[in-house]
Amino acid sequence: MITPSTINRIWRAGLLKATKQTSLTLRTEEALRSKIADDAIKVGDKLPTERELALELGVSRTVIREAVAALRADGLIDAKHGIGYFVAQKSASDYGFPTSAKHLGFSSSMLDLLELRMAVEIHAAGLAAARRSWAQEAKIFANAENFATALERGESPDLADWAFHRSISEATNNAAFVEFFDRMGLSVLPRRAIEGEKRDALITRQYLEKSIPEHRAVCEAISRGDVEAAREAMKGHLGGSQVRYRGLVGTE
């Protein structure tokens, strides 16, 4: 019989593991940034494969994929499906954040992509509620907590936010949902489309804190195995993001 103490122990283990992985991903991201900044690396050069990078940096391929997602969002790396990763820019300052996702092969606006996310993620949340394992559930909770902790510490919550949504896609146990997030990377977050000083002025801590209770509602519904509640919680979260982003666009 699974007791409350067992569930709590599993959740703690998942939280610790996810926290360590987030830290490891950040270190890996910095290592890749340094690699790209090296004078020997030129724009257009092909990077080693995920397997080769994982061996070189002593991390898993999952960590490599998460770090690469951050660099793709910053415009440093282009991914060509079935071919590999290529250096797009030497530094993020050369690029700036796009107002659309054209660099991912989309011509749609970020608001259009938010609607696409709703179609994908609302269904994903329902599948996660029905199919998640204990370990996957713990990871979802842990990433939601990492998001709140990052805000509390005054750190960027972007990686934790992306990891939260990706962990729900993992809990669908459908590889296509995971591939969607890996291909989109951190650019799936609408706030990444706002540039420089404007982003700092508009994306305040108070703005981001609105996501905390929304994340927790999604977590709790998935944990209960309540498919419809999970779908509604995700709909409420992404719908809230859509309203907030529309408000930001209106202030520009």
Side-chain angles (χ1 to χ4, degrees), residues 8-18 138:
N8 188 49
R9 191 162 60 251
I10 292 171
W11 185 86
R12 283 170 178 268
L15 175 59
L16 180 61
K17 181 178 179 182

Side-chain angles (χ1 to χ4, degrees), residues 152-186:
E152 184 179 342
R153 293 175 177 172
E155 301 168 353
S156 170
D158 286 1
L159 182 58
D161 196 8
W162 180 81
F164 169 72
H165 288 275
R166 188 182 188 279
S167 62
I168 292 172
S169 74
E170 290 175 355
T172 66
N173 290 298
N174 179 326
F177 284 90
V178 179
E179 184 177 355
F180 172 81
F181 268 88
D182 286 345
R183 288 178 66 85
M184 293 291 288
L186 289 181

Side-chain angles (χ1 to χ4, degrees), residues 72-252:
R72 287 183 67 193
D74 284 351
L76 294 173
I77 292 176
D78 280 336
K80 296 183 180 179
H81 188 59
I83 300 176
Y85 301 125
F86 295 81
V87 176
Q89 298 287 340
K90 293 289 284 182
S91 68
S93 60
D94 293 337
Y95 189 84
F97 296 109
T99 54
S100 71
K102 290 181 181 178
H103 68 296
L104 293 173
F106 290 96
S107 60
S108 309
S109 71
M110 188 55 72
L111 285 170
D112 288 339
L113 287 176
L114 265 174
E115 289 188 354
L116 172 61
R117 279 188 65 190
M118 290 181 74
V120 173
E121 292 194 63
I122 289 171
H123 187 44
L127 290 177
R131 300 175 177 176
R132 88 283 180 208
S133 67
W134 286 112
Q136 289 168 337
E137 180 181 322
K139 187 174 182 180
I140 294 168
F141 271 94
N143 284 320
E145 185 65 23
N146 286 341
F147 177 89
T149 299
L151 282 180
E152 184 179 342
R153 293 175 177 172
E155 301 168 353
S156 170
D158 286 1
L159 182 58
D161 196 8
W162 180 81
F164 169 72
H165 288 275
R166 188 182 188 279
S167 62
I168 292 172
S169 74
E170 290 175 355
T172 66
N173 290 298
N174 179 326
F177 284 90
V178 179
E179 184 177 355
F180 172 81
F181 268 88
D182 286 345
R183 288 178 66 85
M184 293 291 288
L186 289 181
S187 290
V188 77
L189 306 177
R191 58 184 175 273
R192 301 288 291 202
I194 301 173
E195 297 180 6
E197 294 179 1
K198 193 177 294 184
R199 183 173 188 263
D200 294 336
L202 295 175
I203 309 297
T204 63
R205 177 173 172 173
Q206 289 72 27
Y207 171 93
L208 293 170
E209 282 177 343
K210 294 177 181 178
S211 290
I212 294 176
E214 295 170 0
H215 285 173
R216 288 175 178 163
V218 174
C219 289
E220 290 164 6
I222 290 174
S223 181
R224 294 195 305 271
D226 190 330
V227 172
E228 287 307 314
R231 289 171 59 87
E232 284 302 311
M234 183 60 78
K235 181 180 179 181
H237 173 47
L238 294 180
S241 294
Q242 191 176 48
V243 168
R244 290 191 288 275
Y245 187 71
R246 284 186 189 278
L248 292 181
V249 171
T251 65
E252 294 189 64

